[in-house]
Amino acid sequence: MIQESIRNQITFSQIAAAEGLKAGLQITPEALIDQVRESGIRGRGGAGFPTGLKWAFTAAEKSDKKYVICNADEGEPGTFKDRVIFENWADLVFDGMALAGYAIGADEGIVYLRAEYTFLREKLEKCLAERRKKVLLGENCLGMKGFNFDIHIHMGSGAYVCGEETALIEALEGKRGEARNRPPFPAASGYLGKPTLVNNVETFAWIATIMVKGSDWFRGLGTEKSSGLKLFSISGDVESPGVYEFPMGISVNQLLTEVGGRGAKAVQIGGASGTCVPSAEFDRAIAYEDVATGGSIIVFGQQRDLLDVAENFLEFFEDESCGQCTPCRIGNSKLLEGVRLLKKGECSAKYLNELCKLAETMQIASKCGLGQSSPNAFLSIVKHFRKEIFNREPVAV
Amino acid sequence: MLISQHEQTLDQLQGLVEKHGDQRNALIPILQDFRDQSGQITDYAMQAVANLLKIEPSEVYGVVSFYSFLSERPQGNFVIRLCRTISCDMAGKQAVARQLENDLGITFGETTKDGRFSLEWANCMGVCDQGPAMLVNETLYTKVSPEKVGEILDSFKSRA
Ligand SMILES: Cc1cc2nc3c(=O)[nH]c(=O)nc-3n(C[C@H](O)[C@H](O)[C@H](O)COP(=O)(O)O)c2cc1C
Ligand code: SF4
Ligand code: FES
């Protein structure tokens, strides 16, 4: 019942199953990590940590047991590219995971698949079974003696915060998905206390692709600080919503032209935890050095009330906060109350300033990325749409 | 009657412990399977699984109450989850919500008297390009409109 989401040419279509894995296993683990590093790829899940560095850290840990985890919790509002990757190129993700296992010295891979994607599970299990038959998984994988990498799927149970890597590990361990203090980082002590590498679905697929097309090819695309290509999930007020591949560094304007979203009032980049970019700033670049995103782009047409948007996002965060720390648990409720006052035209300028200060405190004092980024949309909307926010008729209730 | 129900629950859980193991990291897979078999994770089931895994019942409750796809409340045979997040909101989820409430005669958070349908809100389901989105158990519906709601519900009425 899902329709096709792919809207332009996607490089993954050019890569055959196992092609990247075969190429990667021909070089040493060290050389493989160097290739990843040289490509300049940064994590495609949102935080943008350099992947090669993460692999090198995890590889350097001495341990009898290590884990490779594929983060398929994809819960950021507005993102669906990981679903599309699994629907179309699951083999590339599993190739990337096996490459990671080879590089860091792990024999167990786990896909943490969100509960909402249970409908994908059967297909993925079939794909894994096929791979075992072809010895692309399991004992002496691809004929390499002693390389026994296998993958299993662990279903999520519905909690956005479990996309945060330490909360995800807690969930895998059978606990509430409450983020851990870091350090220690998962690279040193992750699942069951063992060194653990967590990467996004798309990151793994790109690694398999880079092994085929080369790190220079990847590095040559995008910008200097944000190399390569990326999948974007486009929704909202556009003519052709769906998944697109673009080079990193594309401007908001260019992107809107490609997807049929010209004339937009604002664009939310990075999902509910991202920022709201007003039309005056549509020349900005979508890249780690400017506006970063895990790929979620939500377009708002002229008719949209941005306070409705802020309210929807804050309802989301109030609902999804794990409740462990006060700035996030109470802060999101307070911001939500504030937005509802603004909507009714009943918020004083002084109180709005206080809310902004609270929002800034949340960014600093929250324990994990959820609370740290949940005020971003609110702050950017207040900053760029002050006139609209204050120009409201008091509503009779 | 009650005793036999407890016995059945215990049997079921013992089977699941055999399948998933008795370590702490087996807890959630056990609860997920139990939910799929029984719908509701009862107080007794939480007690029993705690005993089997040698952990506190409060820890099991802590887990069950944390996750939105695990529930200690009784649930209908078909759990309907409508996406309330922004892209589906802009695509018209409110009208779909109203129609669901009208057709089922319940509001969000409730289960129909015959125990067949539960209605819940959910957050972004990963089909934001095809909203409004709705899950019925594991089946995903996209571009749901108020006039399609009746048809979808009817398709489940004939099923067990
Ligand atoms: C609240 C929250 C939710 C997150 N959700 C996801 C997610 O669904 N998928 C994902 O890959 N990363 C998510 N992340 C980022 C992960 O913590 C982690 O950085 C990422 O999985 C690492 O993979 P990458 O470097 O390949 O991007 C989330 C982070 C936070 C704070
Ligand atoms: S910031 Fe929010 S989600 Fe993260 S630990 Fe604190 S309460 Fe939990
Ligand atoms: S906003 Fe409804 S599926 Fe993403």
Side-chain angles (χ1 to χ4, degrees), chain A residues 161 179 320-325 328-329 366-372:
Chain A
V161 69
E320 296 289 354
S321 165
C322 85
Q324 219 189 149
C325 70
C328 170
R329 186 183 63 239
S366 294
K367 182 170 173 181
C368 85
L370 190 152
Q372 288 159 9

Side-chain angles (χ1 to χ4, degrees), chain A residues 5 83 114 175 235 319-320, chain B residues 67 84 87 123-124 126 129:
Chain A
S5 289
R83 163 180 65 80
R114 65 186 310 220
K175 302 178 196 147
S235 67
D319 194 39
E320 296 289 354
Chain B
Y67 294 98
R84 66 176 153 196
S87 302
N123 291 323
C124 180
D129 55 335

Side-chain angles (χ1 to χ4, degrees), chain A residues 61-82:
Chain A
E61 293 291 329
K62 301 244 176 312
S63 175
D64 55 332
K65 183 80 190 173
K66 295 182 187 178
Y67 295 96
V68 173
I69 294 176
C70 172
N71 189 341
D73 200 45
E74 187 161 61
E76 187 64 52
T79 164
F80 44 95
K81 45 108 187 159
D82 292 342

Side-chain angles (χ1 to χ4, degrees), chain B residues 3 12-13 18 22 24-25 31-32 42 46 54-55 63 65 71 76 87 100 127 130 135 141 151-152 154:
Chain B
I3 290 175
Q12 240 173 304
L13 287 169
E18 241 157 72
D22 63 356
R24 176 66 194 250
N25 59 4
L31 293 172
Q32 288 169 338
T42 57
M46 288 191 262
K54 301 189 177 60
I55 54 178
V63 166
S65 56
S71 177
S87 302
L100 281 165
V127 274
Q130 301 167 37
L135 267 177
Y141 293 85
E151 201 182 303
I152 294 172
D154 281 344

Side-chain angles (χ1 to χ4, degrees), chain A residues 33-76:
Chain A
I33 295 177
D34 279 344
Q35 292 257 308
V36 175
R37 218 190 301 220
E38 278 159 21
S39 75
I41 186 170
R42 294 166 63 162
R44 272 12 188 181
F49 192 83
T51 307
L53 204 56
K54 198 188 257 189
W55 286 30
F57 285 150
T58 326
E61 293 291 329
K62 301 244 176 312
S63 175
D64 55 332
K65 183 80 190 173
K66 295 182 187 178
Y67 295 96
V68 173
I69 294 176
C70 172
N71 189 341
D73 200 45
E74 187 161 61
E76 187 64 52

